[in-house]
Amino acid sequence: MVAQAAKARDKAALAAALKQAEGVGLTEDSDKGVHAAREVLKALEAQERHSKARAEASEELRRAAQGEDQRRLIAALEGADAASIAGPEVASARERLRNLRARAGAAQELRDAANSGDVYRLRAAIAAARGAHVGEQELAGAREALQSLEMQAQARRHLEAAASAKDPEQLRRCIEEAKRAGVNRQEVAKAQLELQSLTQSRVGRELGEAASSGDIHRLGAAVRAATDAGMTGAEVDAAWQRVRALESDSWLRQQLEGAVAGSDAIRLQ
């Protein structure tokens, strides 16, 4: 009966036969048939364990390949290798792992590029992220960052052009544009210093011309503009003195003209 069960490789029948053999005093040491049957039973149990392990490893590989967890998928592939699983399911899982790694790398580059402030790098990162099927939410954030960087780049170009043109009004408008675009404070401060220099230079020229013209109204406006532009020093002080002198002369002329017109002898004295 033991030999028959061993030949049939029926685990349940073999276990029952061995138990029966033990009941009548047959052991592996005393009976070659019992020994052989015991070895067959061990082999069947090992095969069963191996089959179970393969099934579990295969199922875990399938589940891991459906998810987004790279670590789980790597562990599942290692388990499949240990269980001697090969074929299309393993190839598919490895391809899935490559895709997950590519997506993770593209997503990381997308974040780094957005933080770098480099428009060209971010454009390339967005293109690569689309190809790697990075999530739409991350892509949307990167596109917003790109739009902001492009606005800043345009504002910088406008600042440079205005500074080269030495046009205070144009530069003033470009500084406001740069602020709205989020250009960093250091660049804006540099442009503001340039604007102050241009303004003072223009105001200084007007101040000199107004002082030479003898036009009290023009000179008064020029001095006030110089003061508003932050100009100080001897030139401004001299201009104020010139304004006061012109105002005094103007007042005296008005008094004389009034006296002459009214034939006011007392006022003419």
Side-chain angles (χ1 to χ4, degrees):
M1 184 176 180
V2 171
Q4 185 179 0
K7 186 176 181 180
R9 301 185 70 81
D10 184 331
K11 179 185 172 185
L14 190 54
L18 284 170
K19 187 174 182 180
Q20 186 176 1
E22 289 174 359
V24 297
L26 296 176
T27 66
E28 292 184 54
D29 295 332
S30 64
D31 190 290
K32 291 182 179 181
V34 171
H35 176 76
R38 180 67 67 184
E39 292 300 315
V40 171
L41 180 59
K42 289 179 181 178
L44 289 174
E45 289 174 341
Q47 184 179 11
E48 187 178 76
R49 288 193 299 271
H50 182 66
S51 296
K52 182 180 179 181
R54 280 177 59 88
E56 290 175 349
S58 179
E59 177 62 17
E60 172 58 15
L61 187 63
R62 184 186 68 81
R63 291 178 180 274
Q66 290 176 346
E68 303 287 332
D69 189 335
Q70 289 188 54
R71 292 182 180 179
R72 181 181 180 184
L73 184 51
I74 290 170
L77 281 166
E78 290 174 350
D81 185 57
S84 302
I85 298 174
E89 62 180 321
V90 173
S92 177
R94 293 191 186 283
E95 180 63 22
R96 173 63 173 166
L97 180 58
R98 282 192 292 271
N99 291 338
L100 287 176
R101 284 173 170 167
R103 183 187 302 174
Q108 184 61 51
E109 171 58 15
L110 198 62
R111 290 188 289 271
D112 292 344
N115 292 328
S116 72
D118 187 328
V119 172
Y120 300 103
R121 180 182 176 184
L122 184 52
R123 284 175 182 164
I126 289 173
R130 283 200 300 264
H133 305 292
V134 171
E136 185 55 37
Q137 185 175 356
E138 288 184 271
L139 280 170
R143 291 190 189 102
E144 289 181 6
L146 177 60
Q147 184 178 22
S148 177
L149 288 176
E150 288 174 338
M151 289 176 62
Q152 290 175 16
Q154 183 181 52
R156 289 188 180 96
R157 290 193 296 271
H158 290 170
L159 280 176
E160 291 175 2
S164 298
K166 298 189 181 302
D167 184 335
E169 291 306 317
Q170 181 184 353
L171 184 54
R172 184 176 288 107
R173 290 193 299 271
C174 291
I175 287 173
E176 293 306 313
E177 177 191 3
K179 289 178 180 178
R180 290 192 298 271
V183 173
N184 68 66
R185 293 180 180 179
Q186 290 83 355
E187 291 178 90
V188 172
K190 181 180 178 181
Q192 288 173 327
L193 287 175
E194 177 67 18
L195 174 60
Q196 184 180 24
S197 176
L198 288 174
T199 301
Q200 290 182 353
S201 177
R202 174 173 290 188
V203 168
R205 287 195 301 272
E206 172 59 18
L207 190 61
E209 292 173 3
S212 299
S213 72
D215 184 332
I216 185 172
H217 300 294
R218 181 181 178 186
L219 182 56
V223 173
R224 286 190 293 273
T227 302
D228 292 341
M231 290 182 63
T232 58
E235 185 179 8
V236 176
D237 292 340
W240 276 119
Q241 290 177 1
R242 178 64 173 156
V243 168
R244 286 191 287 272
L246 288 173
E247 286 176 341
S248 178
D249 290 346
S250 176
W251 182 83
L252 288 173
R253 280 196 300 272
Q254 289 174 1
Q255 293 298 310
L256 286 171
E257 289 170 358
V260 170
S263 300
D264 189 339
I266 296 176
R267 291 173 64 186
L268 287 170
Q269 289 179 354

